[in-house]
Amino acid sequence: MKKQLLSASIALLTFTSLSAHATTYLSAKAMVDVQTGKLVQSPLITIDNGIITSVEQNKKPVLSKGDKHIQLLELTLMPGLMDMHVHLTSDPTVPRSERLGQSVPRMAIKAAHFAKKTLEAGFTTVRNVGAEGYSVIAVRDGINAGDIVGPRIWAAGPSLGITGGHCDNNRLPPELKYTSTGVADGPWAARVKVRENIKYGANAIKFCATGGVFSKGTKVGAQQYSYEEMKAIVDEAHMRDLPVAAHAHGTSGIKTAIKAGVDSIEHASFLDDEAIALAKEHGTWLSMDIYNTEYTLTFGEQNGVDEENLNKERQVSKKQRDSFNRAVKAGVNMVFGTDAAIYPHGDNAKQFSRMVEFGMTELQAIQAATINSAKLLKMNNKLGQLKAGFAADIIALKGNPLENITELEHIPFVMKAGQVYKNDF
């Protein structure tokens, strides 16, 4: 119980603005109601201690001493965006061979740098699904303490995986006897690894259910971890009330992870009708990174990506987009997840247009990155909407994203917990 409370307090720590006391009023040309898809004209949002206390229309604030009125009269307001699949420690422009020499402190500094870029792009909440050495947990805690700038972070710690699997490091010679931090074989070993991640501050858990594109020597669709191992991971995490993400490209791994009770399937590249039906039956969220393939196939070679990995990307890209389209048509739960790190951090919003191109309406794409992601994190009464009682995580943009989703690629104003972090208007 104490650990559950600790995780909850970490997650909620930044709901209070660092510059409390005075009331902030925010007025704008319009506001997107992400539940209804309606454009609300002339909103006035009142914010106290980082929390929205009222949302009204066609009102002017009555200011007391110390109060602040931010007027964005040509802009449209939205809740801060949420990306459920990022890797803040990784830089796509650095070849993987060079990354082998990076220390955990160096990774943490990278993550701090990319966290700021991500926030400034309008993403006020992210889920970091895997990083060595608890580096992103340290960055999250630094953000919560006000030492550095960045979004709210749900951090998974080191990703769990089998020996020699996608979440292991297979790029070093055997005589070095190196094994990635998250490797655990067998149900009880996997439970121990979940407990270890929680011990060191993880407020989410991620494991690899199949091979992957960017690992060495793994088949992208082949299942890794048995049902018994996956169930042990999920049960252990759920006892501590932590959400569980399963990296799964291949069909059998997707189905097994869903049956084991995971909260979200990451990538979900090779879906068949049964997998889609299972996801609907279990209420499983799909997080499908359908933009980054373009970056990889355009810039991967010059960034030092191995031919093995480029070939796997070619195998996955069209199949994943077809799966995305079929899942949307079937009404499967969907969140916004980009795998930021495979492409440059800060470009997260470029995925929105692909989600619309491959089957979503503009509103569905926006909901994936707001109310749906908040539901996945079990924070749908605190995050993802602009209404009283919710965190004052607010972005503003020039156009109407319900008509042109690419407007989300250019965010001039960002507020998190009532504090302005970007105002280029």
Side-chain angles (χ1 to χ4, degrees), residues 111 123 167 176 238 322-323 336 401 419:
F123 287 81
C167 287
L176 292 181
H238 282 177
D322 289 344
S323 291
F336 186 92
Q419 184 169 342

Side-chain angles (χ1 to χ4, degrees), residues 81-85 123 267 286-294 320-321 324 334-340 342-344 346-361 365-366 368-369 373 405-406 408-409:
L81 301 171
M82 306 170 77
D83 191 335
M84 295 295 96
H85 191 123
F123 287 81
H267 312 298
L286 301 186
S287 170
M288 301 180 71
D289 50 328
I290 59 170
Y291 164 69
N292 62 29
T293 184
E294 296 169 38
Q320 187 189 37
R321 287 173 165 185
F324 178 86
M334 306 284 281
V335 294
F336 186 92
T338 64
D339 212 356
I342 302 303
Y343 67 89
D347 285 351
N348 311 56
K350 288 185 177 180
Q351 179 163 290
F352 282 110
S353 63
R354 285 18 175 225
M355 294 170 83
V356 171
E357 180 182 352
F358 293 100
M360 282 188 168
T361 65
I366 290 168
S373 290
I405 199 72
T406 62
L408 291 171
E409 297 175 19

Side-chain angles (χ1 to χ4, degrees), residues 275-349:
I276 289 172
L278 279 169
K280 288 193 71 175
E281 177 189 345
H282 289 260
T284 311
W285 297 92
L286 301 186
S287 170
M288 301 180 71
D289 50 328
I290 59 170
Y291 164 69
N292 62 29
T293 184
E294 296 169 38
Y295 181 87
T296 298
L297 296 181
T298 302
F299 299 103
E301 186 175 357
Q302 74 182 53
N303 287 343
V305 176
D306 293 341
E307 187 60 29
E308 173 193 354
N309 307 120
L310 293 174
N311 279 332
K312 287 195 280 188
E313 183 61 61
R314 295 182 191 106
Q315 295 168 28
V316 165
S317 56
K318 185 179 184 305
K319 293 281 190 183
Q320 187 189 37
R321 287 173 165 185
D322 289 344
S323 291
F324 178 86
N325 180 263
R326 291 171 55 238
V328 170
K329 287 180 178 177
V332 178
N333 288 340
M334 306 284 281
V335 294
F336 186 92
T338 64
D339 212 356
I342 302 303
Y343 67 89
H345 295 278
D347 285 351
N348 311 56

